[in-house]
Amino acid sequence: MSEPAYRRVVIKLSGEYLAGDQAFGIHQPTIDRIAGDLIKARELGVEIAVVVGGGNIFRGVEVSSRGVSRTTGDTMGMLATVMNCLALESALGRKGQSARALSAFVMPQVCELFTRGAAHRYLAEGRIVLLAGGTGNPYFTTDTTAVLRAAEIGAQAVLKATNVDGVYSADPKKDKTATRFERLSHSQAVEGGYKVMDATAFALARETSLPIIVFSIAEPGSIGAILSGKGKGTIVAG
């Protein structure tokens, strides 16, 4: 078995993906499969923290376009990420993997407050740490949260799990001539305006010298494959 490329990572999971083939909500077989993939990746000896989006339950940007203030909408979206993290924590626990949800919001009856010390401690204990509540501030996406938390906890990379196997020159679902990049610099990703991750996240990754690996979560075992250097994706670094 090859050595993993990184020893500590933050994995960004799309909230929409947790809905599976449903229009919204949590598709239990999907979240159970992702939990299994995370456990196999952890067994490689990698310390894993996870940031989950909330788009399968609530999208602040969409609701704010219908009259709710952006600040309120974003806060509701961040609360949706807490629900997703709790569901994933439960799925991991059922499979025998210790996990801990840490929230950017103070909600002691629900889960523990995120601190760097708590994250470091739980990762060192072998737990999978689930980072809920976004940054705790409106106007920031969970993509940006993933890069911010990775920098805070000393992760070596951010793994962006999406529905495409990397960054393409155009939307491959709409443009048959779109080509996949094997590697991009942070600056190229920002200047190219590629939609797979928002510009603020790419810019923060550039500032903190964090590589981002964009890959498809649809293939079972893809997280472990990326960590082992065998997976298909785009590396955004340098």
Side-chain angles (χ1 to χ4, degrees):
M1 183 182 294
S2 58
E3 286 293 308
Y6 306 102
R7 288 299 180 183
R8 176 178 289 183
V9 298
V10 170
I11 299 170
K12 168 57 179 33
L13 290 172
S14 162
E16 287 93 336
Y17 191 78
L18 299 185
D21 56 5
Q22 303 168 163
F24 65 92
I26 293 170
H27 184 242
Q28 200 60 51
T30 297
I31 204 167
D32 286 341
R33 198 270 290 174
I34 289 174
D37 280 5
L38 288 170
I39 291 168
K40 289 179 181 177
R42 177 69 194 91
E43 289 171 351
L44 295 173
V46 180
E47 294 179 348
I48 293 174
V50 183
V51 170
V52 188
N56 57 317
I57 298 172
F58 196 93
R59 292 187 66 86
V61 174
E62 290 179 5
V63 78
S64 64
S65 70
R66 298 195 293 270
V68 176
S69 74
R70 174 67 187 273
T71 301
T72 300
D74 281 0
T75 300
M76 294 168 75
M78 287 185 281
L79 292 174
T81 73
V82 176
M83 289 188 273
N84 280 338
C85 281
L86 292 175
L88 186 53
E89 182 183 51
S90 178
L92 288 163
R94 286 195 302 273
K95 292 179 179 293
Q97 170 63 52
S98 181
R100 187 70 170 178
L102 301 177
S103 172
F105 294 104
V106 178
M107 42 176 63
Q109 293 89 347
V110 178
C111 57
E112 188 176 341
L113 180 68
F114 167 81
T115 65
R116 291 192 302 276
H120 281 294
R121 182 170 69 254
Y122 293 133
L123 288 168
E125 290 174 357
R127 300 193 193 195
I128 292 175
V129 174
L130 308 171
L131 302 169
T135 66
N137 300 284
Y139 298 98
F140 291 95
T141 67
T142 47
D143 283 347
T144 300
T145 300
V147 179
L148 173 63
R149 294 290 187 242
E152 287 182 297
I153 67 173
Q156 296 171 305
V158 174
L159 275 57
K160 163 79 172 181
T162 184
N163 58 357
V164 291
D165 59 354
V167 180
Y168 281 76
S169 57
D171 187 341
K173 294 180 180 178
K174 299 177 181 178
D175 186 347
K176 299 296 184 183
T177 66
T179 56
R180 185 174 61 86
F181 298 106
E182 292 289 338
R183 193 177 185 95
L184 287 169
S185 69
H186 292 117
S187 294
Q188 287 172 324
V190 173
E191 292 160 9
Y194 302 114
K195 301 299 184 183
V196 72
M197 206 167 198
D198 70 81
T200 303
F202 279 134
L204 182 57
R206 177 177 59 188
E207 181 72 18
T208 54
S209 300
L210 267 168
I212 298 171
I213 299 94
V214 181
F215 69 104
S216 172
I217 190 64
E219 188 69 28
S222 57
I223 298 172
I226 288 291
L227 289 170
S228 299
K230 301 173 184 176
K232 185 179 180 182
T234 299
I235 298 173
V236 182

